[in-house]
Amino acid sequence: PRTGDGKVLHVDVGEGDVANRIITVGTARRAAVLASHFDGVDDRGPKNCPGVFFHESDRGFTTYTGTFGGVGVSVVAIGMGMAMMDFAVRELRSVVDGPALMVRFGTCGGLRADVPE
C-alpha cells in the first residue's frame, strides 16, 4: 500500500528516495555509522549533510541515501525479525527502478568485548 503522496506505508519512502544498492541493519545507530562514510559527509554527520537523504518513518525504519565512491547507496535500519525484513524487502523494491541489490549487515548475536561495533 502507498500513502496519498506515493510513499510506501511502513518504510515511508518514495521513488527517488532509495538507491539501487541497499544495506539493511538492525539499528538506527548502526545506519548512521555506515552513512557517515558517504561521500561529502563531514562533522555535521549524515543527518545534516547536503546530498544525503535522511528519513525516519513512524513505523521504526530509518533511511539514509547518498553516494560512496560516486555510487548511490542506501542504508536502512529495519529493526529485527522476519516481519520487518518482509516490509523492507517488498516496500524498498517497489520504489527502486531497475536491478537492485540488498544486503543485511548484522551481528547475528556475535558481539564480543574485543570486537568494536
Side-chain angles (χ1 to χ4, degrees):
R2 298 214 181 205
T3 61
D5 58 355
K7 294 183 178 183
V8 290
L9 185 61
H10 300 92
V11 186
D12 195 33
V13 292
E15 294 177 14
D17 293 339
V18 179
N20 292 60
R21 291 169 179 85
I22 304 164
I23 300 168
T24 67
V25 296
T27 68
R29 185 172 50 106
R30 191 170 296 125
V33 168
L34 289 176
S36 72
H37 296 281
F38 284 171
D39 298 335
V41 174
D42 54 24
D43 294 341
R44 294 174 287 180
K47 282 185 185 181
N48 304 306
C49 193
V52 175
F53 169 82
F54 168 75
H55 182 69
E56 293 174 309
S57 80
D58 291 338
R59 304 281 178 117
F61 294 90
T62 301
T63 303
Y64 293 90
T65 300
T67 59
F68 181 80
V71 176
V73 178
S74 292
V75 178
V76 184
I78 66 168
M80 297 181 357
M82 291 299 294
M84 297 298 272
M85 181 56 97
D86 180 57
F87 286 130
V89 170
R90 287 184 298 109
E91 291 190 1
L92 293 171
R93 183 64 188 114
S94 76
V95 297
V96 173
D97 287 331
L101 173 70
M102 190 176 299
V103 176
R104 167 74 177 191
F105 285 0
T107 59
C108 293
L111 293 177
R112 295 186 350 207
D114 62 327
V115 178
E117 287 188 44

